[in-house]
Amino acid sequence: MNKEKIGITVSKKEDFSEWYTQVVIKAELADYAPVKGLIVLRPDGYSIWESLQKTFDVRFAKRGVRNGFLPVLIPESLLGKEKKHFAGFNPEVFWVTHSGDGKLGDRLALRPTSETLAYTLYSKWIQSWRDLPLKINFWNTALRAEIKGTKPFLRTSEFLWQEGHTVHATKQEAQDEVSEILRIYQSVVQDELAIPVVVGVKSEKEKFVGAEYTTTMESVMPDGKALQMGTSHFLGQNFSKPFEVKFSDKDNVEHFAWQTSWGVSWRLIGAMIMVHGDDCGLVLPPRVAPVQVVIVPIKKSSDTTDTIHAKAREIGHTLESCGVRVQIDDRDGMSPGYKFNEWEMRGVPVRIEIGSKDMEKKSVVVARRHNGAKSDLGFESIGEISGILDEIQKEMLKKATRQAEELAFSISEYGKFKSRIREGGFVHAPWCGRQECEMRVKEETGADIRVVPFGSGDCNQKCVCCGEASSSIPVFARGY
Amino acid sequence: MNKEKIGITVSKKEDFSEWYTQVVIKAELADYAPVKGLIVLRPDGYSIWESLQKTFDVRFAKRGVRNGFLPVLIPESLLGKEKKHFAGFNPEVFWVTHSGDGKLGDRLALRPTSETLAYTLYSKWIQSWRDLPLKINFWNTALRAEIKGTKPFLRTSEFLWQEGHTVHATKQEAQDEVSEILRIYQSVVQDELAIPVVVGVKSEKEKFVGAEYTTTMESVMPDGKALQMGTSHFLGQNFSKPFEVKFSDKDNVEHFAWQTSWGVSWRLIGAMIMVHGDDCGLVLPPRVAPVQVVIVPIKKSSDTTDTIHAKAREIGHTLESCGVRVQIDDRDGMSPGYKFNEWEMRGVPVRIEIGSKDMEKKSVVVARRHNGAKSDLGFESIGEISGILDEIQKEMLKKATRQAEELAFSISEYGKFKSRIREGGFVHAPWCGRQECEMRVKEETGADIRVVPFGSGDCNQKCVCCGEASSSIPVFARGY
């Protein structure tokens, strides 16, 4: 148990990619599965996902969304029913061809996404206006064969996500749903994970295959690359027509319904690690931390009484009764320093130290993970820890917002644009709206249009690429 | 919207199998997916699963079990590492052979169960006694190709379940874990689903492939067939040896660890439907019912004021503030009778009716789904509904226990035994312990040994089959 083995051995600044992987593995969030491109979640990693699930479930329920279950196997014929959609996903589909020793009649796809399956069922379930709106969310996994550049949480061949699928009687109602869901995504990511996002729409080229338009939230990572944090799609009637999702209205006339789909994945956990972590390891926002406070009793070998441990346990109970998630680290045979390093690497927001001197002073030392600050807190004031956790949560969002601002640039000249893209960051630049320019930028810089922020139209400037009149100011960046 | 379409058209007694399927589909718990043998869960069905998940999570957490995530794909080589285990599952494994247009180097199995994958990881994670016990549970699905006799919840090619996998330093500790988990299973099934179970061990022939022994809980369904409700396995060192799950003890000597695995699946929902349902449809135990109370305001067309609806809403709020899950059915254009039938079919435990006469009497009519009883309840006493729900829960367990007792028989004579098995039920009969007799019974009657109840040994009787001295009194039955 030497420090080297458990500590992070590279700096975030110097080797971001290696740093990231080490944090994921050494903080015991995840590990590699035996199949390339697949990971497993260890309890600390899964606990963060469960915490997000709980928050989303409450928010979704308020909008009348309920959860359901869909199987992972989809017949090939069904997947092909919406042509563009199929063409988009086909190259990365896993195919089941056999069961036991026998060959299957039809190949079965492992779900890359569930539109085709869900809407086959919806068309049976929906008959009348009384059956609308129908709003179901599925907490499951999606499978897409990723061959290169796989990375835990960011690019894996199977990933945990939620996919919501709603059906509405009117276009307006469906579009409102798309917006409201994106709003929920944005506020959960900001409030729970302390990460700021840019919201807007995807370009035609980047939208979901089969959608009329895709709204998205994007964040810039500390290495200057963009990460798509969640998308909410307006599907129009693109699926309701081939899948015959129809309803008879109050006037008994049959109409095709209007649909939406939307999802966030465990990529959010990857973003959280990248945005907040430091050279000592993980830094967890208190709201999603599996353990929010670790108490380390520091007992010298000469101490003969057990008063320190008793006090630690008492403080632990007090905090638990305030709803704080606490762990007491009373392991024998490990130095306090070793313990501090370990809990820092695991990102626990607050460490409480209590030794014989503290006992005399009737106070504990409170160490904050996100900024390293240490202060004393009297025994009588232990209840203030809840407030300190809230404060930390807010400070982490502020810091992350500053970080993102430092990586945001407004540029209208193509030479500067290209060199900035090379260095990384979110580059806001005017664009004429033509795919030709979007493609040229991609070829020459590797950057995509990540998002056209809401309200960035009507800008009266010149396209950074061709010099023609611009129609919006998208965010260009290279992405994960 | 005629009654025939939504109501159950066969009686439970006359055509149990058709009755079951109609209840599942018409009460909107589940529906068939486009691939044979697969089902989807609609929100009411999934909500029952979520309710069970929450209860189990709390109970598991108290034993130090945490949740994790495992991918669905397992390399063929890994699955084959424990020979008996592989032979047991191989015939029903789904195989992935391609991704996109390319052929995979190695075939990948869709998880039939996760022992092999989990223990490959555990062998990396466990080094020292400090890492034990390790207790992780996975809420996922298992996939086993079922070709004939598929039935929603009871026999499907993909099913929702939880699989727990624990590792211990000593044999005793692992065996205690096996027992404690079975105890949790039993109490959750009794307390939440109101279903009595018989607990004990499986025979050698029926145990989990790879286990040293399997403990089980079994219930008798109203058609006299047995349903396995959950199993908890002592794996001994059968997996720790091939998978090298080892730890160095305090004395620095390396040992193979002792392991357990255990699971319950959505079969529990199938059991709940079968045990409690009646000719009108589903009957839900209040503790797992998505809607516990439905309020139906009954307004005559001559009524001009909205006082009835206002009162219904007020009662709804009062109940919600008591933690009751309520729905108000104020749909227009449907008769109260139509609504009553629909909510009865969907199994809602309590219906509250409120019309103008009730308004005058300052009371509502409370109708109980499980026994059809109706009574008045004064406006002032609405809070009593919580108590009524508890009462219903208890009465349902009592009724189910009586039902199970009526289907339990003690028989020691082979002729009577055979004719009883033919008619159905749990037949307790002495057994010599030899597989020869177990096989003969299976061949001649179709019955398996479902469970050897705890404490049924030392019985000093004669084997029902061969007449030799018996060593236990197992439960024989034909099963699902």
Side-chain angles (χ1 to χ4, degrees):
Chain A
M1 277 179 305
N2 50 44
K3 198 192 152 187
E4 237 163 66
K5 193 189 147 206
I6 71 155
I8 309 299
T9 61
V10 293
S11 94
K12 187 177 180 183
K13 206 155 198 158
E14 279 160 24
D15 191 346
F16 188 74
S17 171
E18 169 66 14
W19 169 86
Y20 174 80
T21 308
Q22 282 198 17
V23 173
V24 169
I25 305 294
K26 293 188 176 182
E28 299 187 357
L29 297 182
D31 204 346
Y32 294 108
V35 177
K36 197 177 147 26
L38 294 180
I39 62 165
V40 306
L41 290 201
R42 300 182 70 173
D44 274 1
Y46 194 73
S47 166
I48 297 169
W49 185 243
E50 287 178 307
S51 166
L52 289 172
Q53 277 188 307
K54 272 180 205 149
T55 307
F56 280 122
D57 271 341
V58 170
R59 302 284 195 103
F60 293 161
K62 279 190 190 147
R63 289 200 58 75
V65 179
R66 300 182 69 198
N67 292 330
F69 164 79
L70 294 174
V72 72
L73 297 169
I74 302 178
E76 183 168 13
S77 58
L78 212 61
L79 210 60
K81 233 171 171 177
E82 209 287 347
K83 300 298 173 206
K84 280 185 210 161
H85 182 73
F86 185 63
F89 282 108
N90 200 29
E92 47 194 31
V93 167
F94 285 109
W95 293 105
V96 175
T97 56
H98 291 73
S99 81
D101 293 327
K103 196 165 187 265
L104 296 177
D106 289 314
R107 307 201 290 177
L108 300 172
L110 296 190
R111 149 185 73 223
T113 180
S114 302
E115 276 77 5
T116 57
L117 178 53
Y119 306 159
T120 301
L121 295 156
Y122 283 9
S123 77
K124 284 168 64 183
W125 298 343
I126 295 167
Q127 310 287 333
S128 128
W129 61 274
R130 284 188 186 279
D131 303 320
L132 297 179
L134 179 68
K135 306 182 184 185
I136 310 184
N137 174 57
F138 304 93
W139 289 102
N140 56 30
T141 66
L143 288 113
R144 301 172 190 172
E146 295 283 358
I147 293 151
K148 47 188 179 179
T150 60
K151 200 100 188 151
F153 296 116
L154 302 177
R155 190 174 293 279
T156 52
S157 294
E158 181 177 13
F159 55 88
L160 276 168
W161 75 339
Q162 59 69 219
E163 44 176 326
H165 296 277
T166 72
V167 188
H168 306 265
T170 69
K171 184 177 179 178
Q172 188 58 49
E173 196 185 293
Q175 289 182 320
D176 289 345
E177 190 75 20
V178 170
S179 309
E180 284 302 318
I181 293 293
L182 194 72
R183 224 185 299 272
I184 289 174
Y185 283 167
Q186 177 175 20
S187 83
V188 170
V189 167
Q190 288 187 174
D191 298 348
E192 302 290 313
L193 296 175
I195 300 175
V197 295
V198 177
V199 293
V201 296
K202 286 282 187 192
S203 66
E204 274 298 302
K205 177 173 166 287
E206 298 293 331
K207 74 180 187 185
F208 176 67
V209 280
E212 288 229 345
Y213 64 80
T214 288
T215 65
T216 183
M217 59 178 179
E218 304 273 326
S219 292
V220 61
M221 296 298 110
D223 63 348
K225 281 197 205 164
L227 191 69
Q228 178 177 301
M229 304 283 281
T231 46
S232 179
H233 315 292
F234 175 62
L235 304 179
Q237 296 177 319
N238 292 349
F239 287 86
S240 68
K241 285 179 180 169
F243 287 91
E244 301 200 303
V245 182
K246 292 182 291 192
F247 67 99
S248 56
D249 213 341
K250 289 180 191 178
D251 56 9
N252 268 324
V253 178
E254 207 168 55
H255 302 275
F256 286 108
W258 300 88
Q259 297 187 264
T260 82
S261 73
W262 29 276
V264 294
S265 78
W266 67 17
R267 277 198 150 192
L268 294 179
I269 298 176
M272 178 204 75
I273 298 164
M274 291 194 279
V275 167
H276 301 297
D278 64 19
D279 286 355
C280 297
L282 197 61
V283 182
L284 290 167
R287 293 186 62 93
V288 298
V291 174
Q292 296 173 309
V293 174
V294 62
I295 303 175
V296 183
I298 302 164
K299 197 178 153 184
K300 289 200 191 108
S301 53
S302 58
D303 292 345
T304 49
T305 62
D306 210 15
T307 50
I308 293 176
H309 279 91
K311 192 69 194 174
R313 278 192 298 273
E314 186 196 315
I315 294 172
H317 289 307
T318 306
L319 290 176
E320 266 172 12
S321 68
C322 305
V324 175
R325 296 185 286 275
V326 192
Q327 187 160 325
I328 297 175
D329 183 357
D330 54 5
R331 289 175 293 176
D332 282 333
M334 287 174 179
S335 72
Y338 177 89
K339 290 181 179 178
F340 294 177
N341 287 332
E342 186 180 328
W343 293 110
E344 278 174 10
M345 192 186 63
R346 299 174 77 122
V348 175
V350 164
R351 179 181 70 237
I352 290 181
E353 305 164 16
I354 176 164
S356 49
K357 274 192 186 161
D358 304 299
M359 289 298 287
E360 280 166 27
K361 289 195 289 176
K362 295 191 192 306
S363 67
V364 296
V365 175
V366 175
R368 293 160 171 80
R369 175 66 182 91
H370 75 301
N371 62 6
K374 277 186 167 197
S375 56
D376 286 348
L377 187 68
F379 288 166
E380 306 301 301
S381 312
I382 284 298
E384 287 175 23
I385 291 286
S386 296
I388 292 176
L389 290 168
D390 289 345
E391 216 174 81
I392 292 174
Q393 183 82 27
K394 276 183 208 146
E395 285 174 13
M396 286 180 72
L397 176 59
K398 262 193 211 155
K399 189 178 165 191
T401 305
R402 270 201 311 278
Q403 242 174 233
E405 281 164 4
E406 281 164 18
L407 285 165
F409 309 90
S410 283
I411 296 175
S412 52
E413 196 274 309
Y414 199 50
K416 282 184 194 159
F417 176 88
K418 284 201 283 189
S419 79
R420 184 63 247 176
I421 289 283
R422 221 171 293 130
E423 289 168 64
F426 270 13
V427 183
H428 299 251
W431 174 48
C432 61
R434 292 180 311 149
Q435 220 169 82
E436 209 180 314
C437 287
E438 190 181 6
M439 302 284 272
R440 189 178 145 204
V441 167
K442 174 76 180 173
E443 266 163 42
E444 294 182 1
T445 70
D448 307 301
I449 290 179
R450 304 300 308 183
V451 51
V452 182
F454 292 130
S456 80
D458 288 326
C459 53
N460 245 338
Q461 296 189 43
K462 285 182 175 147
C463 175
V464 71
C465 185
C466 69
E468 298 291 316
S470 73
S471 57
S472 65
I473 307 186
V475 171
F476 293 85
R478 288 193 290 195
Y480 270 94
Chain B
M1 280 182 300
N2 48 42
K3 199 193 151 188
E4 235 162 66
K5 194 188 146 204
I6 69 154
I8 308 299
T9 60
V10 292
S11 95
K12 187 177 180 184
K13 204 153 198 162
E14 279 162 24
D15 191 347
F16 188 73
S17 171
E18 169 66 15
W19 168 87
Y20 175 80
T21 309
Q22 282 198 15
V23 172
V24 168
I25 305 295
K26 294 188 177 184
E28 299 188 357
L29 297 182
D31 203 348
Y32 294 107
V35 177
K36 194 176 148 30
L38 293 181
I39 62 165
V40 306
L41 290 203
R42 300 183 72 172
D44 275 359
Y46 195 72
S47 166
I48 297 169
W49 185 243
E50 287 179 307
S51 165
L52 290 172
Q53 278 188 307
K54 272 181 205 149
T55 307
F56 279 122
D57 272 340
V58 171
R59 302 285 194 102
F60 292 161
K62 279 192 190 145
R63 292 201 56 75
V65 179
R66 300 182 68 197
N67 293 330
F69 165 79
L70 294 174
V72 72
L73 296 169
I74 302 179
E76 184 168 14
S77 57
L78 211 62
L79 211 58
K81 235 173 168 176
E82 211 285 350
K83 300 299 171 202
K84 279 184 209 160
H85 182 72
F86 184 64
F89 283 108
N90 200 29
E92 46 193 33
V93 168
F94 285 109
W95 293 105
V96 176
T97 56
H98 291 73
S99 81
D101 292 328
K103 195 163 189 268
L104 296 176
D106 288 313
R107 307 201 291 179
L108 299 172
L110 296 190
R111 153 184 68 224
T113 180
S114 302
E115 276 76 5
T116 58
L117 177 52
Y119 306 160
T120 301
L121 295 154
Y122 283 8
S123 77
K124 285 169 62 184
W125 298 343
I126 296 167
Q127 309 289 333
S128 126
W129 62 274
R130 284 188 187 281
D131 303 319
L132 296 178
L134 179 67
K135 304 183 184 185
I136 311 184
N137 175 56
F138 305 93
W139 290 102
N140 56 30
T141 65
L143 288 113
R144 301 172 191 172
E146 295 283 358
I147 294 154
K148 48 187 179 177
T150 62
K151 200 99 189 154
F153 297 114
L154 303 178
R155 188 175 294 278
T156 53
S157 293
E158 182 177 14
F159 56 87
L160 277 167
W161 75 339
Q162 58 70 218
E163 44 176 327
H165 296 276
T166 72
V167 188
H168 306 265
T170 68
K171 183 176 178 177
Q172 187 59 50
E173 196 186 293
Q175 290 184 320
D176 289 347
E177 190 75 21
V178 169
S179 308
E180 284 303 317
I181 293 294
L182 194 72
R183 224 185 301 270
I184 289 174
Y185 284 167
Q186 177 176 18
S187 82
V188 171
V189 167
Q190 287 186 177
D191 298 348
E192 302 290 310
L193 296 175
I195 301 175
V197 295
V198 177
V199 292
V201 296
K202 286 281 187 191
S203 67
E204 272 300 300
K205 176 173 168 284
E206 298 293 330
K207 74 179 184 186
F208 178 65
V209 279
E212 288 227 346
Y213 63 79
T214 288
T215 65
T216 184
M217 57 178 181
E218 306 273 327
S219 293
V220 61
M221 296 297 110
D223 63 348
K225 280 198 206 165
L227 190 70
Q228 178 177 302
M229 305 283 283
T231 46
S232 179
H233 315 292
F234 175 62
L235 304 179
Q237 297 177 318
N238 292 348
F239 287 86
S240 68
K241 285 179 180 170
F243 287 90
E244 301 200 303
V245 182
K246 291 181 293 192
F247 68 99
S248 56
D249 213 340
K250 289 180 191 179
D251 56 8
N252 268 322
V253 178
E254 207 168 54
H255 302 275
F256 286 108
W258 299 88
Q259 298 186 263
T260 83
S261 72
W262 29 275
V264 294
S265 78
W266 68 15
R267 277 197 150 193
L268 294 180
I269 299 176
M272 178 204 74
I273 299 164
M274 291 193 279
V275 168
H276 301 297
D278 63 21
D279 286 355
C280 297
L282 197 60
V283 181
L284 290 168
R287 293 188 61 93
V288 299
V291 174
Q292 296 173 309
V293 174
V294 62
I295 304 176
V296 184
I298 301 164
K299 196 178 153 181
K300 289 200 192 110
S301 53
S302 58
D303 292 346
T304 50
T305 61
D306 210 14
T307 48
I308 292 175
H309 279 91
K311 192 69 194 172
R313 279 193 298 274
E314 187 196 314
I315 293 171
H317 290 306
T318 306
L319 291 177
E320 266 172 13
S321 68
C322 305
V324 175
R325 298 185 287 275
V326 192
Q327 187 160 323
I328 297 175
D329 184 355
D330 54 5
R331 289 175 294 178
D332 282 335
M334 287 174 180
S335 70
Y338 178 90
K339 291 180 179 180
F340 294 177
N341 286 332
E342 186 180 330
W343 292 111
E344 278 174 10
M345 193 187 61
R346 299 174 77 122
V348 175
V350 165
R351 179 180 73 236
I352 291 181
E353 306 165 14
I354 174 164
S356 49
K357 274 192 188 162
D358 303 299
M359 289 298 287
E360 281 166 27
K361 289 194 291 176
K362 296 191 191 306
S363 67
V364 295
V365 175
V366 174
R368 293 160 171 79
R369 174 67 181 90
H370 75 300
N371 62 7
K374 278 186 166 199
S375 55
D376 287 349
L377 187 68
F379 288 165
E380 304 302 300
S381 313
I382 284 298
E384 288 175 22
I385 291 286
S386 296
I388 292 176
L389 290 169
D390 289 344
E391 215 175 84
I392 292 173
Q393 182 82 28
K394 276 183 210 147
E395 285 174 12
M396 285 180 73
L397 176 59
K398 261 193 214 156
K399 189 178 167 191
T401 304
R402 269 200 312 277
Q403 241 173 235
E405 282 164 1
E406 283 164 17
L407 285 165
F409 308 91
S410 283
I411 296 175
S412 51
E413 196 274 309
Y414 199 50
K416 282 185 193 156
F417 175 89
K418 284 200 284 190
S419 80
R420 184 64 247 175
I421 290 283
R422 219 172 295 130
E423 290 168 63
F426 269 13
V427 183
H428 299 252
W431 175 49
C432 61
R434 292 181 310 150
Q435 220 170 82
E436 207 182 313
C437 287
E438 191 180 4
M439 303 282 274
R440 189 180 145 200
V441 166
K442 174 76 182 174
E443 266 164 43
E444 295 181 2
T445 69
D448 307 300
I449 291 179
R450 305 299 308 182
V451 51
V452 182
F454 292 130
S456 79
D458 287 326
C459 54
N460 245 338
Q461 298 190 40
K462 286 184 174 146
C463 174
V464 72
C465 185
C466 69
E468 298 291 314
S470 72
S471 58
S472 64
I473 306 186
V475 171
F476 292 85
R478 286 192 291 195
Y480 271 93

